[in-house]
Amino acid sequence: MAHRIALNFEDGVTRFIECDGNEVVADAAYRARLNIPMDCRDGACGTCKSKCESGRFRMGDYIEDALTEDEASEGFVLTCQFRPESDCVISIPATSALCKSGPTVFEAAIADVRKLSNTTIGFTVALDQPEALSFLPGQYMQVSVPGTAESRAYSFSSCVSGGRADFLVRNIPGGLMSTYLSSQATSGDRLTLRGPVGAFYLREIRRPTLFLAGGTGLAPFLAMLEHLDEEGGPAHPVRLVYGVTRDADMVEVEKLARFAETMANFSYDVCVADKDSAHGLKGFVTDHFGAADLNDGEADVYLCGPPPMVDAVKAHFDRIGVKPASFHYEKFLAAETTT
Ligand code: FES
């Protein structure tokens, strides 16, 4: 049976390949014309050492010089001896250019544009070849701005369904994509998407997990939640704290409510920083999670928001004296990258 293997390169580019359970990933990569690091192909030199981030697999024969016991217990593998038993994610210690790969280009058309609030616009694209596009929930694409030579980075805010995918954009007055979407976009406008890219993606839920979203940093979590919902819900509690500046910035809350209804292990809170907000929960995300959410350190944390939010959350970990088992974050600058 063929499994879907995501190869994440050092420069953040991800390529997906199909690998039969009876073949090694190195062979499947070569079949896909990807020159991942390789030498002896025999489990002896260690040149192909990479890290398996998720998935089940079995290893063939190799010697200790190529992969030590400690390295194996940390998740390192030899791709020349790696046979998958499920879909897997593998980090390759080389850039995509070095492996003669790179982001893939997908053609699409604007299918829908929605002004979700004064500060946020949602848009949907219809992909020409949706079956060719795979991504890990949380990853982003470089999306061309129709009518210009420019592109902007946006995280998927949905999975691909019916050939379509959604994105959220912060509505920046005078911003290139904001201006296009709010005053020029017409259904059928052509655009290209390059990717998928990014190390901020959902790993297997192995312990209680905390999602922290700031503003349009909600987008990748919507894709992650849709993925979890499709999988039948998370195996451990997942809590999302979504922080916005003003009441008007709050978007897609009805989707969160639906996920909370359909997934037993999912809960969420929305907080508003504005002191004059009419919302029940005020303050920053750091006001609304504590040591209990980090389960004595046996918790994974994902954060997507502006740089000060990342710094504030790291300082909060220090203040409450609990470090999570893993902390994955994506910083975005509204002027350049609107996640
Ligand atoms: Fe030598 Fe894999 S290529 S150990």
Side-chain angles (χ1 to χ4, degrees), residues 39 114 188 251:
D39 190 357
R114 303 168 295 286
V251 297

Side-chain angles (χ1 to χ4, degrees), residues 26 36-49 61-63 65-67 77-81:
I36 61 175
M38 196 67 50
D39 190 357
C40 71
R41 292 179 157 266
D42 212 18
C45 70
T47 305
C48 65
K49 196 182 300 170
D61 296 335
Y62 61 89
I63 62 171
D65 277 0
L67 186 72
V77 295
L78 300 173
T79 56
C80 72
Q81 301 298 315

Side-chain angles (χ1 to χ4, degrees), residues 227-308:
H227 169 77
L228 289 172
D229 201 20
E230 285 176 358
E231 299 276 297
H236 299 274
V238 172
R239 180 176 177 232
L240 166 73
V241 185
Y242 166 36
V244 295
T245 307
R246 288 167 294 272
D247 290 354
D249 300 331
M250 216 184 297
V251 297
E252 304 286 45
V253 179
E254 60 297 333
K255 276 192 186 165
L256 299 179
R258 272 204 304 277
F259 287 130
E261 256 177 50
T262 55
M263 290 191 283
N265 264 337
F266 173 64
S267 63
Y268 73 97
D269 286 297
V270 186
C271 60
V272 183
D274 182 3
K275 289 196 300 295
D276 299 325
S277 162
H279 189 65
L281 213 57
K282 292 195 196 50
F284 298 101
V285 294
T286 45
D287 298 321
H288 300 291
F289 77 88
D293 293 289
L294 299 181
N295 194 31
D296 290 330
E298 263 307 293
D300 295 318
V301 178
Y302 293 75
L303 183 161
C304 185

Side-chain angles (χ1 to χ4, degrees), residues 3 7 10 17 38 114 121 134 145 160 177-178 193 196 247 259 266 278 331 333:
H3 302 292
L7 300 176
E10 272 181 345
I17 58 171
M38 196 67 50
R114 303 168 295 286
I121 303 171
S134 291
V145 184
V160 175
M177 187 61 106
S178 302
L193 295 85
D247 290 354
F259 287 130
F266 173 64
K331 297 178 181 178
L333 299 172

Side-chain angles (χ1 to χ4, degrees), residues 22-329:
N22 293 316
E23 70 180 332
V24 295
V25 159
D27 290 344
Y30 266 43
R31 207 160 25 80
R33 300 178 188 278
L34 295 174
N35 295 329
I36 61 175
M38 196 67 50
D39 190 357
C40 71
R41 292 179 157 266
D42 212 18
C45 70
T47 305
C48 65
K49 196 182 300 170
S50 303
K51 187 160 190 197
C52 182
E53 306 282 357
S54 71
R56 296 189 314 279
F57 58 90
R58 65 184 197 283
M59 289 285 286
D61 296 335
Y62 61 89
I63 62 171
E64 174 87 7
D65 277 0
L67 186 72
T68 66
E69 213 172 298
D70 284 352
E71 288 171 331
S73 67
E74 286 168 26
F76 286 94
V77 295
L78 300 173
T79 56
C80 72
Q81 301 298 315
F82 181 105
R83 288 181 171 80
E85 292 184 336
S86 71
D87 291 350
C88 295
V89 179
I90 301 174
S91 290
I92 304 293
T95 63
S96 60
L98 208 64
C99 298
K100 300 204 174 11
S101 179
T104 315
V105 179
F106 300 90
E107 303 292 331
I110 291 283
D112 187 36
V113 177
R114 303 168 295 286
K115 186 175 177 189
L116 299 173
S117 73
N118 280 340
T119 53
T120 311
I121 303 171
F123 71 96
T124 301
V125 299
L127 295 150
D128 289 5
Q129 291 185 294
E131 66 288 348
L133 173 63
S134 291
F135 64 94
L136 299 168
Q139 288 192 305
Y140 66 90
M141 300 292 273
Q142 290 288 346
V143 182
S144 67
V145 184
T148 77
E150 301 283 321
S151 63
R152 296 288 183 268
Y154 298 115
S155 300
F156 288 99
S157 61
S158 73
C159 298
V160 175
S161 170
R164 296 175 172 221
D166 297 341
F167 297 89
L168 288 186
V169 175
R170 181 161 171 75
N171 190 2
I172 303 165
L176 202 60
M177 187 61 106
S178 302
T179 303
Y180 163 74
L181 289 172
S182 44
S183 58
Q184 299 156 16
T186 306
S187 187
D189 284 356
R190 303 294 300 171
L191 71 173
T192 58
L193 295 85
R194 290 171 62 85
V197 195
F200 184 73
Y201 58 85
L202 184 65
R203 277 72 172 173
E204 193 179 335
I205 302 283
R206 293 188 173 140
R207 48 178 81 85
T209 299
L210 182 63
F211 289 168
L212 303 173
T216 46
L218 179 67
F221 295 110
L222 292 172
M224 292 179 186
L225 290 167
E226 193 174 318
H227 169 77
L228 289 172
D229 201 20
E230 285 176 358
E231 299 276 297
H236 299 274
V238 172
R239 180 176 177 232
L240 166 73
V241 185
Y242 166 36
V244 295
T245 307
R246 288 167 294 272
D247 290 354
D249 300 331
M250 216 184 297
V251 297
E252 304 286 45
V253 179
E254 60 297 333
K255 276 192 186 165
L256 299 179
R258 272 204 304 277
F259 287 130
E261 256 177 50
T262 55
M263 290 191 283
N265 264 337
F266 173 64
S267 63
Y268 73 97
D269 286 297
V270 186
C271 60
V272 183
D274 182 3
K275 289 196 300 295
D276 299 325
S277 162
H279 189 65
L281 213 57
K282 292 195 196 50
F284 298 101
V285 294
T286 45
D287 298 321
H288 300 291
F289 77 88
D293 293 289
L294 299 181
N295 194 31
D296 290 330
E298 263 307 293
D300 295 318
V301 178
Y302 293 75
L303 183 161
C304 185
M309 181 177 167
V310 176
D311 295 340
V313 167
K314 284 180 178 170
H316 188 62
F317 290 155
D318 290 341
R319 210 163 31 244
I320 61 179
V322 185
K323 280 252 184 302
S326 71
F327 180 37
H328 309 278
Y329 60 85

